[in-house]
Amino acid sequence: MITRHFGIPVTSPGAILRRERDLGTPLGQETAEVLRSGGLVSDKIIIELIEDWLRLHGGHGFVFDGFPRTLPQAESLMSMLTKLRTALDLVIWLEASEKTVRDRITGRLQCGECGFTTSSSSAQFANRPVCPYCDGRLERRNDDDLGVLQTRLQEFRTKTEPLRAFYKKVSVLDRIDGNRDRDAVFSEISRLIEDKTPK
Ligand SMILES: [Zn+2]
């Protein structure tokens, strides 16, 4: 939605790794098991992916979804941006309760081809699970098993939660209530991006 609305390229390490896995690359195979179990892929791998992506696509602004997730990742991002002489305009902390996360995980469908995601409660897709953009098949993500949620929450508390203090210190953190519907969250994110965009 952000790419369509603002023309800013968005990436997430999860999407890159799922594509690598589907292509059967060594990296994809190496990380598939970690993703399946709900763990975090090593900082070294994630940082390399992001560096490559920035080199290819990061020239005119970018959005990372689900990166950085750890302090070492955040510190590497700082030095990458320093090298690129680019400032970090905005960090959004999307806060959602465990119940919200649980409900979303059980109801999420994703296009195997282009990564479009939607909810299985959306009537349009319930009967005919076909992507509206590329006609790819919409399927439940493998790593969306509720059984891995506890591992993810544990990883979040120990490795991601400290980023809140880190980014508060550099004063670019905006908190958004993620327990609302997609449109409400999107319009708040849009407002934050618009405030940062040079007029
Ligand atoms: Zn698609």
Side-chain angles (χ1 to χ4, degrees):
M1 283 171 105
I2 289 170
T3 303
R4 247 180 298 152
H5 195 85
F6 294 100
I8 305 174
V10 178
T11 195
S12 82
I16 297 174
L17 289 172
R18 279 192 296 278
R19 193 161 55 231
E20 296 282 325
R21 179 197 62 199
D22 294 343
L23 292 171
T25 66
L27 177 66
Q29 287 167 349
E30 191 185 325
T31 51
E33 184 48 41
V34 182
L35 289 180
R36 236 192 319 273
S37 63
L40 292 179
V41 172
S42 80
D43 288 331
K44 183 172 173 293
I45 290 178
I46 299 289
I47 290 162
E48 279 173 18
L49 289 178
I50 292 291
E51 270 183 324
D52 282 349
W53 188 90
L54 267 180
R55 247 194 307 275
L56 289 171
H57 308 279
H60 302 282
F62 46 84
V63 172
F64 294 129
D65 171 12
F67 174 87
R69 280 198 199 281
T70 67
L71 276 178
Q73 288 175 17
E75 283 157 3
S76 297
L77 178 62
M78 295 284 243
S79 58
M80 283 181 227
L81 295 181
T82 306
K83 260 185 257 164
L84 293 169
R85 298 205 186 88
T86 296
L88 197 56
D89 292 321
L90 191 58
V91 179
I92 296 174
W93 188 273
L94 196 56
E95 200 155 283
S97 71
E98 193 172 327
K99 181 181 180 304
T100 301
V101 175
R102 197 177 289 277
D103 291 349
R104 297 228 172 113
I105 284 176
T106 47
R108 185 157 50 179
L109 290 173
Q110 183 167 41
C111 173
E113 303 297 323
C114 72
F116 166 76
T117 51
T118 187
S119 157
S120 58
S121 60
S122 160
Q124 192 190 346
F125 301 111
N127 298 322
R128 190 171 170 272
V130 172
C131 176
Y133 297 104
C134 74
D135 290 335
R137 228 166 68 85
L138 297 177
E139 35 200 31
R140 285 178 198 283
R141 280 169 38 179
N142 290 331
D143 57 327
D144 277 349
D145 186 353
L146 273 184
V148 307
L149 178 62
Q150 290 312 317
T151 314
R152 283 211 198 155
L153 289 173
Q154 184 59 30
E155 291 275 42
F156 175 81
R157 280 186 286 262
T158 56
K159 295 179 181 166
T160 307
E161 182 65 36
L163 289 181
R164 190 201 293 267
F166 177 88
Y167 279 118
K168 263 190 188 151
K169 219 163 36 194
V170 290
S171 78
V172 281
L173 189 79
D174 284 281
R175 193 192 151 279
I176 286 188
D177 177 3
N179 299 297
R180 296 166 302 165
D181 68 34
R182 194 180 161 110
D183 289 343
V185 171
F186 179 69
S187 74
E188 197 172 342
I189 291 175
S190 296
R191 191 178 49 75
L192 289 173
I193 295 176
E194 272 155 16
D195 285 351
K196 299 284 177 177
T197 310
K199 302 268 151 29

